[in-house]
Amino acid sequence: MQSKIKSLKKDVLSALASAKTEEEVRDLEIKYLGRKGPFSEIMRGLKDLSDDEKRTVGKLANMTKIELETAVHAKFAELEGAMMDQIADTEWMDITVPGKKPRVGHRHLISKFIDDLEIIFGRMGFQVAEGPDLETEHYNFNQLNIPADHPARDMQDTFWLKNLKDSVLRTQTSPVQIRYMEANEPPIRIVSMGKTFRKDSDATHSPMFHQCEGLMVGENISIANLKAVMTQALQQIFEDASIKTRFRTSYFPFVEPGLEIDCTCPICGGVGKLPDKTPCRLCKQCGWLEISGAGMVHPQVLENVGYDSKKLTGFAFGMGLDRMVMIKYRVNHLRLLFENDLRFIAQF
Ligand code: PHE
C-alpha cells in the first residue's frame, strides 16, 4: 500500500510537470485528488487494515494528498504567471509616451464678433432679441411699410419660398423690430444679430450675410441718442476711441428721416493715407466708411404695432457685420468667412 501511494505520487508529479494548460491541471486534480480518485479509495479501504497499518498508511496518504494539492496549486500559479507574462509581452503600452492633443474647436470669427457686439450693446442697456431666418412677407415687408407694389422691394433681391406661400428668407433683420414691439411695451432697447439673405453673389456679396439690427423706442428718443449710441459702439467695436461718426440722409421706407451712418476709417484713422503716406485702399482715401443704415422709426411702423406715434419716438439701425469683421481682423476676401477652411478659421 505504501509503495502504491509513492508511485501514485510520482505519476501525479510527472503528469503535472508536463501539463501545459490550466485545463489539463484541472483534469489531473479531478482524476487523482477528486472524490472518485485513488486517494479517496485508499481512505475508504483503511477500515480493512490493522490498527498499525491504518495509522501509517492513513498518515502517508493524507500527507501525500496535501503535498499533491499544494503542487497542483503551484502549477496553476505557474501557468497563470506565464499567461500574464505573455500578455505583458504582447499587449503592453508605453504610458510615458506623450498623448495626442485633441483638436479643440472654437467659435467662428463671426460668431465671436456677434458675442462681442452683444456685450458692447449690452453695456448700453440693449437686450438681445431674436427672430426667425424664415420670415413672412408680412414681417419682412408689409409691417415695415413696404407693401407689395412698393419700389423698395426691388432694393432687396428676395429669395421667395416656392412651396410656402408668402414666405421669404429674411432680407434684413428689421422684421425683428416688429416682432419685438408687438410682444413688448415701450420703452425698448434691443439689438438683434443674425443671418440675412439676398440673391447677391460676387466677390463682395454673399447670398447669406449677417446684420445687426438696433432699436430704441420711448419718449423723447432723438437722433442725438442714435449718434451717441453709434459712436460709442463703433469706438468699442474697433477698439479705437478716436473714431467719429457722420450722418448722411438716405431712404428706407420704415424710417423717417432715413440715414446712412459713416465712421472714420479705422485703418487710416480718417486721414485717407497710411503712416507711410501710401493711399488707404479701404476707404479709397476719403477717410470715411459707410457702416450702417439708420433713421427715426416711421410713425406708421409704430402705429402698425399698436404704439402711439404721438407719444413715442425711436431710432433704428441696421448694419452689415461681415465687412466690419473683415475690417477689424484684416480679412481680405469675403469668401474666407464662409468657406470654413480650417487653416483660416484656426487663426482666430
Ligand atoms: N434694413 C435695412 C437694410 O437692410 C437697414 C436699416 C435698418 C435701415 C434699420 C434703417 C433702419 O438695408
Side-chain angles (χ1 to χ4, degrees):
M1 197 53 107
Q2 300 201 10
S3 66
K4 190 183 169 197
I5 294 174
K6 281 184 186 139
S7 88
L8 255 178
K9 176 177 167 183
K10 242 206 227 144
D11 291 351
V12 175
L13 287 178
S14 82
L16 263 185
S18 58
K20 298 235 157 22
T21 65
E22 287 188 32
E23 221 181 326
E24 283 174 63
V25 178
R26 193 153 299 128
D27 288 347
L28 285 173
E29 189 182 22
I30 292 168
K31 180 173 170 201
Y32 289 102
L33 304 173
R35 269 190 299 117
K36 291 178 185 152
F39 280 95
S40 301
E41 201 180 309
I42 290 166
M43 291 309 193
R44 273 195 303 274
L46 284 181
K47 62 181 186 320
D48 301 330
L49 301 177
S50 71
D51 280 357
D52 219 18
E53 275 179 320
K54 231 183 246 176
R55 209 174 302 120
T56 40
V57 173
K59 194 175 173 199
L60 179 65
N62 252 331
M63 297 286 286
T64 309
K65 194 176 176 215
I66 290 171
E67 239 178 278
L68 291 177
E69 279 168 352
T70 310
V72 163
H73 289 134
K75 186 69 187 185
F76 273 132
E78 180 197 315
L79 287 175
E80 184 156 334
M83 193 179 72
M84 295 311 267
D85 282 351
Q86 196 203 346
I87 288 175
D89 278 349
T90 53
E91 296 181 16
W92 65 278
M93 62 180 169
D94 181 354
I95 60 166
T96 67
V97 172
K100 273 196 197 121
K101 211 174 178 184
R103 190 142 151 183
V104 180
H106 61 73
R107 285 170 74 64
H108 187 273
L109 187 52
I110 290 178
S111 304
K112 275 201 232 174
F113 190 71
I114 288 174
D115 292 347
D116 289 348
L117 287 184
E118 290 185 2
I119 291 167
I120 289 169
F121 283 105
R123 280 196 290 254
M124 292 191 272
F126 285 77
Q127 297 200 328
V128 176
E130 277 180 66
D133 292 357
L134 179 58
E135 262 299 0
T136 59
E137 183 181 11
H138 177 74
Y139 284 112
N140 193 80
F141 292 124
N142 300 352
Q143 285 288 76
L144 287 162
N145 225 7
I146 319 175
D149 55 0
H150 198 287
R153 282 216 184 176
D154 300 339
M155 286 166 70
Q156 304 174 354
D157 225 343
T158 309
F159 286 109
W160 291 87
L161 268 83
K162 247 193 200 154
N163 301 321
L164 205 56
K165 204 170 147 333
D166 302 332
S167 297
V168 298
L169 294 181
R170 67 177 179 188
T171 60
Q172 49 190 352
T173 41
S174 301
V176 184
Q177 291 183 32
I178 305 294
R179 287 179 178 276
Y180 194 86
M181 284 193 286
E182 280 184 355
N184 294 276
E185 291 299 319
I188 278 174
R189 250 187 296 186
I190 53 152
V191 281
S192 186
M193 290 66 133
K195 293 181 169 67
T196 44
F197 307 84
R198 290 181 202 178
K199 284 190 203 165
D200 235 347
S201 188
D202 57 43
T204 56
H205 294 91
S206 155
M208 186 281 290
F209 56 104
H210 298 84
Q211 282 191 341
C212 169
E213 193 82 11
L215 176 69
M216 183 168 182
V217 177
E219 287 177 23
N220 301 316
I221 304 298
S222 73
I223 286 189
N225 299 117
L226 174 63
K227 174 93 176 172
V229 166
M230 292 312 281
T231 306
Q232 259 305 315
L234 289 163
Q235 287 179 357
Q236 290 185 37
I237 289 167
F238 291 118
E239 296 173 65
D240 177 355
S242 75
I243 283 183
K244 292 179 181 50
T245 54
R246 75 176 181 190
F247 290 1
R248 288 175 292 115
T249 52
S250 182
Y251 173 74
F252 301 96
F254 37 92
V255 285
E256 182 58 37
L259 303 165
E260 207 66 61
I261 301 178
D262 297 344
C263 75
T264 46
C265 176
I267 302 291
C268 65
V271 183
K273 286 194 200 83
L274 301 179
D276 67 2
K277 300 278 188 294
T278 53
C280 180
R281 286 200 295 161
L282 181 65
C283 65
K284 308 218 168 59
Q285 302 183 63
C286 88
W288 293 93
L289 290 179
E290 206 175 293
I291 222 77
S292 182
M296 298 306 291
V297 181
H298 197 294
Q300 184 60 54
V301 171
L302 294 174
E303 295 294 330
N304 287 349
V305 298
Y307 282 11
D308 184 349
S309 65
K310 298 215 168 50
K311 277 210 196 113
L312 298 165
T313 52
F315 69 72
F317 63 85
M319 55 191 181
L321 297 186
D322 310 288
R323 199 170 65 114
M324 291 173 83
V325 169
M326 291 173 68
I327 295 166
K328 177 160 182 181
Y329 295 100
R330 309 285 197 266
V331 176
N332 52 4
H333 294 292
L334 179 68
R335 59 179 172 76
L336 289 171
L337 293 180
F338 304 119
E339 277 176 349
N340 291 335
D341 183 333
L342 284 178
R343 291 170 301 176
F344 170 76
I345 289 175
Q347 290 176 45
F348 300 95

